[in-house]
Amino acid sequence: QSVLTQPPSASGTPGQRVTISCSGGSSNIGSNTVNWYQQLPGTAPKLLIHTNDQRPSGVPDRFSGSKSGTSTSLAISGLQSEDEADYYCAAWDDRLYGWLFGGGTKLTVL
Amino acid sequence: EVQLVQSGAEVKKPGESLKISCKGSGYSFPNNWIGWVRQMPGKGLEWMGIINPNESVTRYSPSFQGQVTISVDKSISTAYLQWSSLEASDTAMYYCARHARSSGSRTLDHWGQGALVTVSS
């Protein structure tokens, strides 16, 4: 059982805006920055959002992140078929002194 | 360009030992910790542990403490994950990732391509 809680699935139609939530606690999201990863089928996770809301170069601005307290969310606007993937939130945990991942959200583009 | 290149897929029998590798390039290897992440078939990401290449200091997830050993040879910019006695339940994809720190933020920013370990009799 993951300490960071994400919905197991999400869906949307092309062009729609989809939001994926992730909730944690005071020792992880509440006191550290959050990262989001995209994992396409059969590939390694790819950093999508770092430091709560920052996009690495090359990541389209359709992807955005936000954080409030012990919760965070990833928004994808202008949904495209190529966005169909698993999405994971992650944060450093001060009590564990290690990384925590959310359970992952499988995004389906209908 | 930062790259982490992992060793290839392995097929082992229960009870056998295994050591997989992760070679970093394109950055100062000693100055960034390396983390290991497990992904069992059809499942999510699980943090296993992390190593500081400069001091060879390790930290393990309680779930993996005593089950695996993480080590590093900074002279060849390579981190390792090893098992002394594999079990069928160790069948999974294993990823290494660079742990970057800056201005109070932490990120596993670059990932290896993964190494599939299959344990079967």
Side-chain angles (χ1 to χ4, degrees):
Chain A
Q1 185 176 357
S2 304
V3 178
L4 301 185
T5 302
Q6 297 180 236
S9 63
S11 63
T13 56
Q16 262 190 333
R17 183 175 187 270
V18 169
T19 301
I20 298 171
S21 63
C22 170
S23 64
S26 58
S27 61
N28 41 77
I29 294 177
S31 52
N32 292 291
T33 58
V34 175
N35 307 303
W36 285 92
Y37 298 91
Q38 178 192 59
Q39 187 175 33
L40 297 168
T43 68
K46 169 192 163 187
L47 182 63
L48 200 62
I49 297 287
H50 68 88
T51 319
N52 304 325
D53 57 8
Q54 302 297 302
R55 284 186 307 277
S57 61
V59 174
D61 60 6
R62 303 186 294 104
F63 295 91
S64 62
S66 64
K67 175 183 144 178
S68 177
T70 58
S71 294
T72 184
S73 62
L74 172 72
I76 309 171
S77 60
L79 200 60
Q80 299 179 3
S81 57
E82 67 208 51
D83 299 332
E84 195 160 278
D86 294 323
Y87 293 85
Y88 295 90
C89 58
W92 183 262
D93 187 279
D94 291 333
R95 279 192 219 131
L96 176 65
Y97 204 75
W99 286 96
L100 289 178
F101 290 97
T105 298
K106 184 175 185 60
L107 175 64
T108 301
V109 181
L110 302 168
Chain B
E1 179 195 5
V2 174
Q3 278 194 311
L4 294 174
V5 178
Q6 298 185 233
S7 47
E10 301 274 1
V11 179
K12 291 289 190 179
K13 290 182 166 45
E16 291 186 330
S17 62
L18 176 64
K19 191 174 190 177
I20 61 175
S21 66
C22 168
K23 182 173 176 61
S25 63
Y27 71 101
S28 176
F29 184 82
N31 292 339
N32 290 268
W33 301 355
I34 293 286
W36 286 94
V37 176
R38 182 177 78 173
Q39 188 168 38
M40 299 180 76
K43 302 297 184 183
L45 305 174
E46 301 173 88
W47 176 71
M48 301 176 71
I50 202 159
I51 188 163
N52 176 340
N54 228 1
E55 303 166 0
S56 292
V57 173
T58 54
R59 179 79 179 187
Y60 296 93
S61 161
S63 300
F64 293 93
Q65 179 81 49
Q67 308 305 307
V68 296
T69 301
I70 295 171
S71 59
V72 69
D73 183 344
K74 67 179 181 180
S75 69
I76 55 171
S77 301
T78 300
Y80 302 95
L81 177 66
Q82 69 180 90
W83 296 259
S84 58
S85 180
L86 286 160
E87 302 176 1
S89 58
D90 293 316
T91 294
M93 182 72 82
Y94 294 88
Y95 295 102
C96 63
R98 188 181 80 157
H99 173 116
R101 296 182 67 173
S102 67
S103 304
S105 73
R106 297 175 188 258
T107 307
L108 292 171
D109 61 353
H110 289 87
W111 294 59
Q113 81 276 21
L116 180 62
V117 173
T118 303
V119 183
S120 173
S121 53

